[in-house]
């Protein structure tokens, strides 16, 4: 089946440092979504990227979709302790009307003071 | 503030027992997903429904798992008989899909299942 690889699996940063997680698919995606899951919580939608080369920003978070629509990244500038959690990308390959998401393995972010 | 609700939030049971998890999707959403999350396997899609019809349950062990939507306000996931390897957090998510557009998935708080 379709797979989405995500790296790194874990990253520990000092507050104020930047953080990036990468997501890769072997085949072209129709769109990609990003979710954040706080420890003990549930995944919460952050953003959806649809267009080739698309870049979207949410305050300190920057999301990119690759030109070939096979990879994506999430970059956090000047991390804060509130950024702690696991970040998942979720790919959609759109097979007819049976569209569904396949979640990446996630990147767990730890931020310390 | 519309939310997906799931019951129970926690369930501890013994091997061999039946487990039923319930989900109330957000009113008006036409798609419901069941996921299982473990440390080893991450988030796995078990089954999903659109307009109450099952579209894909290929991720679900058929011999012991079953998923249904008896009506638009209730989705159920049953495990019978349960096994220790079923211990995980089970999430339900709902969304609104129109035509070829994939919408956001809204996750419930999850059911943490422990099978002894």
């Amino acid at each position: 089946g379709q797979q989405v690889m995500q790296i790194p699996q874990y990253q520990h940063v000092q507050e104020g440092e930047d953080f990036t997680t990468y997501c890769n698919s072997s085949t072209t995606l129709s769109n990609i979504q990003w979710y954040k899951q706080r420890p003990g919580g549930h995944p919460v939608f952050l953003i959806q990227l649809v267009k080739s080369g698309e870049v979207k920003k949410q305050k300190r978070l920057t999301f990119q979709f690759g030109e070939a629509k096979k990879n994506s990244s999430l970059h956090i500038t000047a991390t804060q302790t509130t950024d702690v959690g696991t970040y998942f990308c979720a790919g959609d390959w759109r097979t007819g009307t049976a569209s569904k998401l396949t979640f990446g393995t996630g990147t767990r972010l730890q931020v310390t003071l | 503030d519309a939310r997906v609700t799931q019951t129970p939030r926690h369930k501890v049971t013994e091997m061999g027992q039946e487990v039923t998890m319930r989900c109330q999707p957000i009113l008006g959403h036409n798609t419901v997903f069941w996921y299982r999350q473990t440390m080893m396997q991450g988030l796995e899609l078990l089954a999903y429904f659109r307009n109450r019809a099952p579209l894909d349950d290929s991720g679900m062990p058929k011999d012991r798992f079953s998923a249904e939507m008896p009506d638009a306000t209730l989705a159920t996931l049953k495990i019978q008989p349960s096994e220790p390897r079923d211990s995980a957090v089970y999430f339900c998510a709902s969304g609104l899909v129109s035509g070829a557009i994939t919408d956001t998935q809204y996750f419930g708080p999850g059911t943490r299942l422990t099978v002894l």
Side-chain angles (χ1 to χ4, degrees):
Chain A
Q2 309 287 11
Q3 284 191 321
V4 174
M5 304 304 296
Q6 203 172 340
I7 56 170
Q9 285 190 329
Y10 172 77
Q11 187 149 8
H12 183 180
V13 300
Q14 299 269 326
E15 190 178 47
E17 292 180 336
D18 292 354
F19 160 77
T20 305
T21 174
Y22 301 91
C23 191
N24 292 287
S25 165
S26 57
T27 55
T28 303
L29 297 162
S30 60
N31 67 80
I32 195 160
Q33 298 184 9
W34 285 90
Y35 290 77
K36 176 184 177 182
Q37 184 177 20
R38 287 203 161 96
H42 58 275
V44 174
F45 174 80
L46 293 177
I47 209 155
Q48 181 180 57
L49 304 171
V50 179
K51 299 176 185 174
S52 169
E54 189 169 15
V55 178
K56 287 189 177 180
K57 293 190 176 185
Q58 289 180 350
K59 297 182 180 178
R60 295 176 295 103
L61 278 60
T62 302
F63 303 84
Q64 292 189 335
F65 203 8
E67 294 290 340
K69 298 183 73 173
K70 289 184 178 181
N71 55 73
S72 181
S73 65
L74 158 60
H75 180 81
I76 302 178
T77 303
T79 55
Q80 300 175 356
T81 54
T82 52
D83 297 325
V84 165
T86 301
Y87 293 84
F88 293 96
C89 62
D92 177 5
W93 284 270
R94 189 72 48 76
T95 55
T97 59
S99 174
K100 64 180 183 181
L101 294 176
T102 298
F103 280 78
T105 48
T107 296
R108 187 160 70 93
L109 173 63
Q110 180 64 32
V111 181
T112 52
L113 295 170
Chain B
D1 190 20
R3 296 183 184 186
V4 175
T5 57
Q6 287 186 249
T7 56
R9 294 293 307 277
H10 301 273
K11 176 73 176 179
V12 179
T13 191
E14 293 189 345
M15 183 173 63
Q17 297 298 306
E18 177 179 302
V19 175
T20 298
M21 291 169 270
R22 294 177 173 80
C23 167
Q24 183 172 6
I26 292 174
L27 189 64
H29 282 186
N30 61 359
T31 312
V32 173
F33 304 82
W34 281 105
Y35 291 91
R36 175 170 61 185
Q37 187 174 42
T38 61
M39 289 294 293
M40 295 300 294
Q41 300 296 329
L43 263 172
E44 302 173 273
L45 178 66
L46 297 175
Y48 78 109
F49 296 79
R50 182 166 302 164
N51 298 320
R52 295 177 55 202
L55 281 192
D56 187 343
D57 61 2
S58 58
M60 203 164 65
K62 302 291 191 305
D63 56 338
R64 298 184 299 108
F65 285 61
S66 61
E68 295 180 345
M69 275 201 79
D71 62 61
T73 63
L74 177 65
T76 62
L77 179 66
K78 289 186 182 180
I79 309 174
Q80 169 63 17
S82 58
E83 297 181 1
R85 59 180 168 152
D86 301 329
S87 298
V89 179
Y90 291 82
F91 288 106
C92 171
S94 72
L96 180 62
V97 177
S98 176
I101 304 299
T102 303
D103 198 11
T104 304
Q105 291 188 19
Y106 295 84
F107 281 74
T111 294
R112 182 174 294 276
L113 173 66
T114 303
V115 183
L116 302 174

